[in-house]
């Protein structure tokens, strides 16, 4: 199928070429030949006359056993009921298939007739107020890096969420500076387009930092290799209490989910873990480990 037509089949032409190909002349010849061809007359000319009889649906007679007779007062009330009143009656009787969801819930949730258009009306979509986008993250990365390096005691949270143009070397320098910082408690890199090099830098930071309590690296491009490096580093960190790694570009795999469950079982300090398990086994183990860790934390607070 990838070969041109001249190579897919043998040459069946017997007439020798009359000369070199002239594309413009060929197109002009084809256009002139198409204009000279007479149009074919219709076998039956269209006159606009309508033939046949219009379809009339026959009336179905209701059998006697299916006929329902109501009291004269109800018959008279239903005969003079408006479409809006019929809509409310159908909603009260639970006939939600006769109307839209909006008409049904408006009729049963309101004490008065609020749908004045009736059952057979065309439902207009609800007009929702536009929700403005979140403002961009105003964090100055260079200033933040300088404060982390200087071990600023007033800096307890590093939030770089949704900043997608951070150079990888700058993120690596930030993780390197976090190794010796003793005041930052929360470190968040959500939606920063971070990959495995940043995950390895975060893993090296976790092995040395002893003050960080919350780490969030969700919604990035970290693969299973990078997540495995972070999880192995978490085992060597006893101060981290919250870890969020969900919503990466690709599913990490069964081996990483089993490693997550093992880390939660071996690290009683983690009491909050952000990841949606796809396998039942690791999910059950992780839930049991989180319940145990939170119970241990509660007992420590009571003491």
């Amino acid at each position: 199928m990838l070969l041109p037509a001249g190579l897919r089949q043998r040459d069946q032409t017997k007439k020798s070429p009359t000369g070199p190909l002239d594309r413009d002349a060929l197109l002009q010849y084809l256009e002139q030949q198409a204009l000279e061809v007479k149009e074919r007359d219709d076998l039956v000319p269209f006159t606009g006359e309508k033939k046949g009889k219009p379809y009339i649906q026959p009336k179905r007679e209701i059998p006697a056993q299916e006929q329902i007779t109501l009291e004269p007062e109800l018959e008279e009330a239903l005969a003079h009921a408006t479409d809006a009143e019929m809509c409310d009656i159908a909603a009260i009787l639970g006939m939600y298939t006769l109307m839209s969801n909006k008409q049904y819930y408006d009729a049963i949730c309101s004490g008065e007739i609020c749908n004045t258009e009736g059952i057979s009306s065309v439902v207009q979509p609800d007009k929702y107020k536009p929700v403005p986008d979140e403002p961009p993250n105003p964090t100055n990365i260079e200033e933040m890096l300088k404060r982390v390096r200087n071990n600023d005691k007033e800096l307890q949270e590093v939030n770089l969420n949704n900043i997608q143009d951070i150079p990888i070397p700058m993120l690596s320098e930030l993780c390197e500076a976090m190794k010796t910082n003793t005041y930052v408690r929360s470190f968040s890199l959500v939606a920063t387009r971070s990959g495995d090099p940043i995950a390895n830098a975060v893993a090296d930071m976790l092995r040395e930092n002893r003050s960080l309590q919350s780490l969030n690296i969700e919604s990035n491009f970290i693969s299973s290799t990078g997540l495995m490096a972070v999880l192995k580093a978490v085992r060597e960190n006893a101060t981290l209490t919250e870890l969020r790694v969900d919503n990466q570009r690709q599913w990490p795999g069964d081996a990483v989910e089993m490693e997550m469950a093992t880390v939660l079982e071996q690290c009683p300090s983690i009491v909050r873990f952000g990841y949606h398990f796809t396998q039942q086994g690791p999910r059950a183990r992780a839930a049991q480990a989180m319940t145990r860790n939170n119970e241990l934390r509660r007992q420590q607070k009571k003491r």
Side-chain angles (χ1 to χ4, degrees):
M1 295 178 62
L2 300 178
L3 294 176
L7 299 179
R8 289 200 303 265
Q9 59 184 3
R10 60 184 179 85
D11 188 8
Q12 301 179 6
T13 59
K14 297 180 179 179
K15 184 178 178 180
S16 58
T18 58
L21 175 64
D22 188 352
R23 183 176 182 276
D24 296 335
L26 178 60
L27 292 177
Q28 185 177 2
Y29 170 74
L30 293 176
E31 183 178 358
Q32 184 66 27
Q33 188 180 26
L35 293 175
E36 292 177 356
V37 175
K38 295 179 61 177
E39 295 184 358
R40 186 179 60 180
D41 297 334
D42 294 335
L43 298 179
V44 180
F46 178 73
T47 59
E49 180 184 358
K50 294 183 179 180
K51 298 182 179 181
K53 298 179 180 180
Y55 174 76
I56 301 177
Q57 186 177 2
K59 296 183 179 180
R60 176 179 176 271
E61 296 184 0
I62 303 176
Q65 61 272 14
E66 296 183 7
Q67 294 182 0
I68 300 175
T69 56
L70 301 175
E71 297 180 0
E73 294 82 0
L74 295 177
E75 289 283 358
E76 184 179 0
L78 292 176
H80 296 84
T82 62
D83 289 346
E85 294 173 343
M86 292 293 292
C87 184
D88 278 20
I89 293 174
I92 294 173
L93 296 178
M95 300 178 181
Y96 56 88
T97 57
L98 299 179
M99 62 195 77
S100 65
N101 288 338
K102 184 178 185 303
Q103 291 175 335
Y104 177 72
Y105 286 110
D106 286 347
I108 63 176
C109 294
S110 178
E112 56 185 12
I113 297 177
C114 56
N115 178 29
T116 58
E117 297 178 351
I119 296 178
S120 59
S121 62
V122 178
V123 180
Q124 300 295 332
D126 294 336
K127 295 182 179 180
Y128 295 99
K129 295 181 180 180
V131 180
D133 296 336
E134 294 184 1
N137 195 332
T139 304
N140 189 334
I141 306 174
E142 296 180 357
E143 181 181 355
M144 182 68 67
L145 177 58
K146 183 178 179 181
R147 295 180 64 184
V148 172
R149 283 176 175 172
N150 295 335
N151 202 13
D152 188 354
K153 62 180 180 181
E154 296 182 357
L155 180 63
Q156 296 187 356
E157 180 181 2
V158 176
N159 185 350
L160 304 179
N161 296 345
N162 301 319
I163 305 178
Q164 301 183 0
D165 56 350
I166 307 177
I168 294 179
M170 185 170 292
L171 282 176
S172 301
E173 293 177 7
L174 186 61
C175 295
E176 185 70 22
M178 281 290 299
K179 291 181 180 180
T180 57
N181 189 281
T182 58
Y183 293 103
V184 175
R185 299 291 182 266
S186 176
F187 189 59
S188 184
L189 298 176
V190 178
T192 54
R193 304 177 67 89
S194 300
D196 287 348
I198 304 303
N200 293 328
V202 169
D204 295 338
M205 178 264 295
L206 289 176
R207 292 187 179 94
E208 299 186 22
N209 186 282
R210 292 298 177 265
S211 62
L212 190 65
Q213 297 179 359
S214 176
L215 175 63
N216 191 345
I217 54 175
E218 292 180 338
S219 303
N220 282 303
F221 298 159
I222 302 175
S223 66
S224 57
T225 304
L227 288 179
M228 191 69 74
V230 173
L231 293 173
K232 291 181 179 179
V234 170
R235 294 183 177 181
E236 305 177 20
N237 190 297
T239 60
L240 194 67
T241 61
E242 180 179 4
L243 176 63
R244 300 187 180 276
V245 297
D246 201 8
N247 194 29
Q248 301 300 327
R249 189 174 187 179
Q250 61 182 4
W251 178 57
D254 296 338
V256 177
E257 290 193 354
M258 294 296 292
E259 181 68 18
M260 291 178 183
T262 304
V263 168
L264 294 178
E265 291 173 347
Q266 297 179 358
C267 300
S269 62
I270 299 180
V271 294
R272 288 184 297 274
F273 184 69
Y275 179 78
H276 179 72
F277 288 91
T278 59
Q279 301 297 326
Q280 178 63 28
R283 185 190 304 118
R285 290 176 54 192
Q288 185 176 2
M290 293 300 296
T291 302
R292 183 205 61 186
N293 294 350
N294 281 275
E295 180 64 21
L296 291 176
R297 176 60 61 88
R298 187 185 65 83
Q299 293 177 1
Q300 292 176 0
K301 289 183 178 181
K302 288 181 64 176
R303 296 175 184 175

